[in-house]
Amino acid sequence: MIHANDDPSFDQCNQGPPGASHPIVVASSGTTSLYKVDLNTPAGAVPKTARIQLNFGQKNWFCGQRGSQQFSIPFISVGAQNLRGNPGPVGTINLSGSPNGTIVFNARVPSYATPTCAPGTGEICNGPVLGVHLGVYGVASWGGKRRLIFLDLYSEGSQDSSVGGPYVGRWNWPIADSVFFPGAEVIAMTTGSQLASACAMSIPALSLDGASHHYSIDFGKLINCANQRNLFSQAPPTGNFSLDGVHWYIEGVGTAGNVELSVKNIETAIFVSDFD
């Protein structure tokens, strides 16, 4: 499932509807686009590689309907979601931790040019608004309400929420045919010192060195940490419950620069390497 949204989501300046705000092109095509996605199986390799890009300099920031440039915050994610291509939940969560709710993968940042302001966009772009974050989020529901658990693997500038936290927000998403309808409680967490201090979990931040880094993310333990900090409006179940989706994302602010995230070898921790 691909979610490519550009806030303000309901603005007439976007070329498409919320969640599909602008064209999404194949990353290897060479076509100019804010959003690019690949899902490849390299020659001689078994695992697929998912690749997503935000290309800030490839968006036309001028809004014809308004006759001026329009500030926005583009976001793109790709992942597996219950009843949106996946025939069921992607895992099973338990607050005490469970291999069924642990997602393992290798991630790297093949290309990165720090978001900045393109010449002539000063009316909507300046130093304090610049920033980017990328990582993985899980989707789960209980008590009739959806929850999104965001874990930043890397963040900087205005999108860096590593100080203090974790944090909770309320997201309104009134798109009836969207998997996220009508919105969600959103938990924001950051790898590194924040997660170690708040959750006693050791998950390093993703470096920008282009090298592949291995991750094992237990969403049950992340949800348990948020629950212990009283971030949810209703406590999660004490037994097993579904991990409905897992997605990798990039979100940023800038009018120039680009960010690419590549993910492969995606499994739940119940699987053993080299076996089908």
Side-chain angles (χ1 to χ4, degrees):
M1 190 187 91
I2 300 173
H3 185 71
N5 187 62
D6 199 10
D7 273 332
S9 310
F10 301 88
D11 196 285
Q12 69 271 22
C13 295
N14 288 338
Q15 299 162 277
S21 300
H22 304 288
I24 304 165
V25 305
V26 176
S28 58
S29 67
T31 304
T32 298
S33 180
L34 172 66
Y35 300 124
K36 295 184 179 182
V37 175
D38 268 346
L39 184 60
N40 294 326
T41 302
V46 174
K48 292 185 182 297
T49 298
R51 180 169 59 148
I52 55 176
Q53 296 179 2
L54 275 185
N55 302 279
F56 303 100
Q58 295 185 16
K59 176 186 173 181
N60 182 4
W61 295 92
F62 183 82
C63 174
Q65 292 91 329
R66 296 191 175 193
S68 62
Q69 294 173 356
Q70 171 71 25
F71 173 82
S72 70
I73 306 175
F75 172 99
I76 187 168
S77 68
V78 63
Q81 180 66 38
N82 184 18
L83 303 181
R84 290 297 193 277
N86 220 57
V90 301
T92 303
I93 302 172
N94 192 290
L95 298 185
S96 63
S98 169
N100 294 276
T102 298
I103 305 300
V104 297
F105 58 92
N106 293 332
R108 69 186 188 99
V109 179
S111 175
Y112 186 86
T114 301
T116 186
C117 298
T121 61
E123 63 183 284
I124 62 168
C125 186
N126 55 66
V129 306
L130 296 172
V132 68
H133 66 146
L134 57 86
V136 59
Y137 68 92
V139 184
S141 299
W142 62 84
K145 184 177 291 186
R146 185 168 288 102
R147 275 79 179 186
L148 273 59
I149 316 299
F150 278 78
L151 180 63
D152 284 355
L153 301 180
Y154 175 82
S155 60
E156 69 170 67
S158 64
Q159 302 298 300
D160 183 3
S161 59
S162 61
V163 178
Y167 302 96
V168 63
R170 308 292 190 267
W171 180 45
N172 190 321
W173 192 248
I175 311 297
D177 58 353
S178 170
V179 69
F180 298 122
F181 176 82
E185 283 186 332
V186 178
I187 304 296
M189 297 177 164
T190 304
T191 51
S193 59
Q194 184 197 88
L195 205 63
S197 174
C199 306
M201 296 177 67
S202 179
I203 302 177
L206 179 60
S207 65
L208 303 179
D209 58 6
S212 180
H213 299 269
H214 184 73
Y215 284 94
S216 178
I217 310 298
D218 190 327
F219 279 98
K221 290 184 177 179
L222 290 178
I223 290 174
N224 189 39
C225 174
N227 182 53
Q228 291 177 343
R229 300 175 71 86
N230 298 313
L231 296 181
F232 295 117
S233 58
Q234 182 181 357
T238 56
N240 292 337
F241 58 104
S242 294
L243 178 63
D244 293 319
V246 59
H247 306 262
W248 287 263
Y249 66 90
I250 307 172
E251 184 176 42
V253 182
T255 54
N258 64 83
V259 184
E260 178 179 333
L261 175 63
S262 176
V263 184
K264 68 176 182 178
N265 295 4
I266 304 168
E267 298 178 329
T268 56
I270 61 172
F271 288 104
V272 179
S273 180
D274 297 328
F275 289 86
D276 293 332

